[in-house]
Amino acid sequence: MRNRFTYFLFLSFLLLLVSCGTSKSKHHVPDVAPYNTAKPVVTKISDSVFVSGKNSLLKNKQGIWELYVEGDPLEIGLTTGALTDSLLKKQQQIFFSKIATIVPSRFEQKILRQFLKWYNRKLYLNVPEEYQSEIYGVSQYTTHEFDNIAPQYQRSLYLHAAHDIGHALQDLALVGCSSFAAWGEKSEDGNLILGRNFDFYVNDAFAENKIIAFINPKEGHPFMMVTWAGMIGAVSGMNLEGLTVTINASKSEIPLSAKTPISILTREILQYAKNIDEAIAIAKKRKVFVSESIMVGSAHDNKAILIEVSPEKMDVYDVPNTNQLICSNHFQGDAFKDDERNLSQIANSHSEYRLERMQELLTENPKINPKIASEILRNKDGLQNIALGYGNEKALNQLMAHHGIIFKPTAKQVWVSANPYQMGEFVCYNLDSIFKDRKENSIVSFEEENLNIAKDPFLKTEAFLKYQKFRIEDDKIDLYLKDKTKISSEFIQNYQSLNPDYWVVYYKAGLYFYQNKYYKLAQENFEKALTKEITTVPDKEAIEKYLKKLRRK
């Protein structure tokens, strides 16, 4: 991955030599004159409660921030920025420090900054003006610490394309999500129910301050979405009409410029569509630059569909003869069935495996309700309940999710997981009650506590404690391998005992022994890794390649 990233940095440098047209984008700011430009006054009630008129931000007892804002696009942006001020600065520091870790060279960082300016040169032309105004409002409260990357507004706009750019340039797959929907005979009450894991992982700190935003815009439908400070795009959300959106990344080619970020498209659908037909119509208007599946659930239609989009085409995957829908990280519709990238994704990644696992669990549970949905999202085992090892990306619960979420659109109910991952308490909210008769200076949590789903019992097990220790030791062994540091046999034995079903612990031990020419031990560990459920075909082929070399030695 590192070599590939360097390659694209070099490619970006060549592109810069012939690039033009970045001047307008570097200096562009939206026209905010039609809106109320007055900056909001925020009253700090405590370290976890902030109020500005009818708008508020508070941290509930499960540790999730609940944000309520209303107004025109600029008002929503300014108020969001003012209320989340400290969270916003912290989130950008976390994100950009991660980038510095991935790209430690100052020279490469400089090239990357120039590349982003060139690559995003047409981004402002593909983001609706109202969302640019909202981003502009939020950006007024961002730190100046990273102005060397880009000015406040441009930097905030770029961040909305960060997932898409990483996805396009490296198949970075920071998102390996799983989602499902059930209705009719498959649902406990006959009404639509949806569940999804958002497996977007930057680091643990990034997910510490997740926000459930309740937005009441002057135009469009009031809605909720799970987000983080600075992010106005939608990755998981539901509006007051009972329409839901979630996104799942798929295999993409490398485009030559940024267009509409997926999260901005889904935000538009969330705000302006009340049924499936309206969602499809909005999707047709926008040009995207990565491949993505958008699951749309609708209370009005009492069903869900997938809008499958790529830079070249769009398809709608409907299942008229069944009452369930499943989505991982490849396309399922006719338009993409012969697409080479999609076929490669099915053959080589863990996407098809997770799809089959969801089918298996839905078959085992003939009537889905919120509790059963949470158990599916939290499931850590493989097909036929085999042990995968904790953290395996073939699992629905990869122990890395930013959040898990469950929707009951007809009832306007949504459950959002508290930390860690999707294993904390699923906190219930009702959109009808939240958006009805909102009063000033309201500082009470919106949660419907009696409907919450209890935290995963796994959190109190010895296995979870071992997994937490494993992650620390896993980072250590990566560093040891990079620096070619001597490792004791006791360290390796302890490391493997913390997560014994996970193929990675034997693979990394094999790498260490191979580096140090302990070929018999290397062979034993690589062969042990092959007895476990390996995440992808390329991973398995890499181990087999080492074994061939060892046999020659």
Side-chain angles (χ1 to χ4, degrees):
M1 182 179 286
R2 170 73 180 167
N3 290 338
R4 193 170 179 190
F5 192 78
T6 304
Y7 165 77
F8 281 112
L9 287 172
F10 176 70
L11 175 62
S12 72
F13 179 73
L14 294 179
L15 290 170
L16 281 168
L17 295 178
V18 295
S19 68
C20 60
T22 61
S23 179
K24 281 188 178 180
S25 65
K26 283 193 292 185
H27 301 291
H28 169 79
V29 291
D31 178 14
V32 296
Y35 304 126
N36 178 8
T37 59
K39 286 200 171 183
V41 176
V42 174
T43 302
K44 180 180 177 179
I45 308 298
S46 70
D47 288 341
S48 59
V49 180
F50 305 85
V51 176
S52 179
K54 289 185 178 181
N55 307 293
S56 64
L57 175 73
L58 68 84
K59 195 173 192 178
N60 66 23
K61 66 181 183 180
Q62 291 84 4
I64 305 174
W65 291 95
E66 298 174 6
L67 172 71
Y68 178 94
V69 289
E70 59 181 43
D72 63 41
L74 183 62
E75 282 179 311
I76 289 173
L78 288 170
T79 305
T80 299
L83 287 168
T84 63
D85 187 4
S86 60
L87 298 179
L88 187 57
K89 291 178 172 64
K90 182 177 181 181
Q91 211 71 6
Q92 286 206 355
Q93 285 169 342
I94 291 167
F95 188 84
F96 288 116
S97 65
K98 178 70 173 181
I99 298 298
T101 303
I102 297 171
V103 191
S105 162
R106 288 187 178 274
F107 173 74
E108 288 185 355
Q109 288 175 12
K110 184 177 180 181
I111 294 297
L112 180 59
R113 288 196 295 271
Q114 295 303 316
F115 168 72
L116 286 172
K117 291 172 186 175
W118 177 82
Y119 195 84
N120 287 312
R121 67 196 183 280
K122 294 183 180 179
L123 184 59
Y124 75 100
L125 299 173
N126 290 278
V127 175
E129 191 75 17
E130 68 170 297
Y131 298 134
Q132 290 192 50
S133 297
E134 187 174 331
I135 291 169
Y136 177 83
V138 174
S139 74
Q140 302 310 294
Y141 294 88
T142 59
T143 178
H144 287 284
E145 184 181 346
F146 304 106
D147 284 357
N148 64 319
I149 296 171
Q152 287 173 300
Y153 166 67
Q154 279 76 18
R155 189 171 72 243
S156 296
L157 187 63
Y158 292 173
L159 283 172
H160 284 80
H163 155 66
D164 308 65
I165 292 171
H167 179 180
L169 292 189
Q170 288 196 81
D171 287 329
L172 195 54
L174 289 172
V175 185
C177 309
S178 305
S179 55
F180 60 87
W183 59 92
E185 293 181 358
K186 194 66 188 173
S187 164
E188 188 176 69
D189 61 3
N191 292 319
L192 176 65
I193 182 170
L194 306 96
R196 81 87 117 254
N197 284 332
F198 184 59
D199 291 316
F200 179 84
Y201 186 79
V202 176
N203 53 33
D204 285 351
F206 189 85
E208 279 178 8
N209 290 299
K210 60 182 137 189
I211 297 171
I212 306 176
F214 300 93
I215 314 291
N216 194 350
K218 282 194 172 176
E219 294 185 11
H221 309 295
F223 62 92
M224 67 72 61
M225 62 183 183
V226 185
T227 186
W228 51 90
M231 176 66 161
I232 73 136
V235 296
S236 304
M238 179 170 71
N239 69 24
L240 200 53
E241 293 292 325
L243 183 123
T244 70
V245 294
T246 58
I247 57 174
N248 287 39
S250 192
K251 192 83 168 177
S252 271
E253 66 172 335
I254 302 167
L256 291 177
S257 70
K259 294 182 182 175
T260 304
I262 287 293
S263 67
I264 295 295
L265 169 58
T266 48
R267 163 69 188 269
E268 188 175 6
I269 291 171
L270 194 58
Q271 187 172 340
Y272 288 103
K274 69 174 183 291
N275 56 38
I276 288 171
D277 287 342
E278 291 184 4
I280 293 169
I282 291 170
K284 285 179 177 177
K285 292 192 305 180
R286 303 294 174 201
K287 291 184 180 297
V288 299
F289 63 107
V290 292
S291 298
E292 204 95 9
S293 295
I294 305 169
M295 183 176 282
V296 177
S298 167
H300 288 280
D301 301 285
N302 197 36
K303 64 181 289 187
I305 55 100
L306 295 175
I307 301 175
E308 298 180 335
V309 296
S310 78
E312 302 88 18
K313 55 190 173 183
M314 185 188 112
D315 194 14
V316 176
Y317 181 63
D318 199 351
V319 282
N321 298 318
T322 185
N323 43 29
Q324 70 181 39
L325 180 65
I326 303 169
C327 182
S328 52
N329 295 104
H330 63 268
F331 291 139
Q332 301 174 65
D334 290 338
F336 295 94
K337 68 179 181 181
D338 297 321
D339 182 270
E340 287 184 13
R341 288 181 185 83
N342 194 50
L343 291 172
S344 172
Q345 179 79 339
I346 293 169
N348 295 311
S349 76
H350 43 79
S351 180
E352 178 69 19
Y353 190 97
R354 284 182 286 111
L355 191 86
E356 291 175 6
R357 180 58 175 159
M358 281 186 280
Q359 289 172 333
E360 194 174 72
L361 291 172
L362 286 169
T363 300
E364 290 174 9
N365 294 279
K367 299 285 185 181
I368 306 301
N369 60 28
K371 179 71 164 57
I372 291 171
S374 73
E375 291 167 356
I376 293 173
L377 295 178
R378 289 168 170 171
N379 190 279
K380 294 168 283 295
D381 296 328
L383 290 169
Q384 299 179 341
N385 299 317
I386 66 167
L388 294 173
Y390 298 120
N392 195 319
E393 290 176 332
K394 280 189 168 180
L396 299 183
N397 178 3
Q398 300 170 15
L399 295 166
M400 63 173 283
H402 182 272
H403 63 266
I405 191 166
I406 300 162
F407 302 103
K408 286 201 72 180
T410 303
K412 312 295 170 57
Q413 291 174 323
V414 56
W415 287 259
V416 180
S417 68
N419 288 332
Y421 321 120
Q422 66 276 65
M423 297 192 297
E425 190 173 4
F426 270 91
V427 184
C428 181
Y429 299 92
N430 184 293
L431 267 59
D432 280 331
S433 62
I434 290 168
F435 289 111
K436 181 182 178 182
D437 300 327
R438 176 70 175 165
K439 294 178 173 60
E440 288 203 13
N441 299 316
S442 179
I443 53 172
V444 179
S445 172
F446 295 127
E447 69 177 283
E448 306 267 331
E449 194 170 353
N450 61 315
L451 296 175
N452 290 354
I453 298 169
K455 62 180 65 175
D456 192 336
F458 177 69
L459 294 176
K460 294 183 178 179
T461 65
E462 181 68 22
F464 181 64
L465 291 175
K466 283 186 175 182
Y467 175 71
Q468 290 178 302
K469 292 175 183 175
F470 158 76
R471 293 187 64 193
I472 296 168
E473 302 303 281
D474 194 50
D475 287 341
K476 285 182 185 177
I477 200 169
D478 285 342
L479 190 62
Y480 295 157
L481 288 169
K482 179 184 174 183
D483 296 339
K484 294 184 166 48
T485 306
K486 285 287 184 183
I487 307 175
S488 69
S489 58
E490 290 80 14
F491 175 89
I492 289 175
Q493 288 170 8
N494 178 62
Y495 169 63
Q496 293 179 335
S497 72
L498 293 172
N499 203 352
D501 294 313
Y502 193 24
W503 68 276
V504 166
V505 300
Y506 306 105
Y507 172 63
K508 289 182 180 179
L511 287 179
Y512 170 73
F513 291 128
Y514 186 87
Q515 275 183 4
N516 289 275
K517 300 183 180 181
Y518 300 126
Y519 295 131
K520 181 67 175 172
L521 289 171
Q523 181 178 351
E524 288 174 3
N525 277 276
F526 286 139
E527 287 176 346
K528 185 71 177 287
L530 287 176
T531 67
K532 305 301 179 181
E533 195 66 46
I534 296 173
T535 307
T536 67
V537 170
D539 289 330
K540 186 175 182 181
E541 289 174 346
I543 296 171
E544 290 170 341
K545 189 174 180 180
Y546 274 111
L547 285 169
K548 283 181 182 177
K549 289 180 181 178
L550 286 165
R551 290 182 190 114
R552 286 199 296 269
K553 290 179 186 298

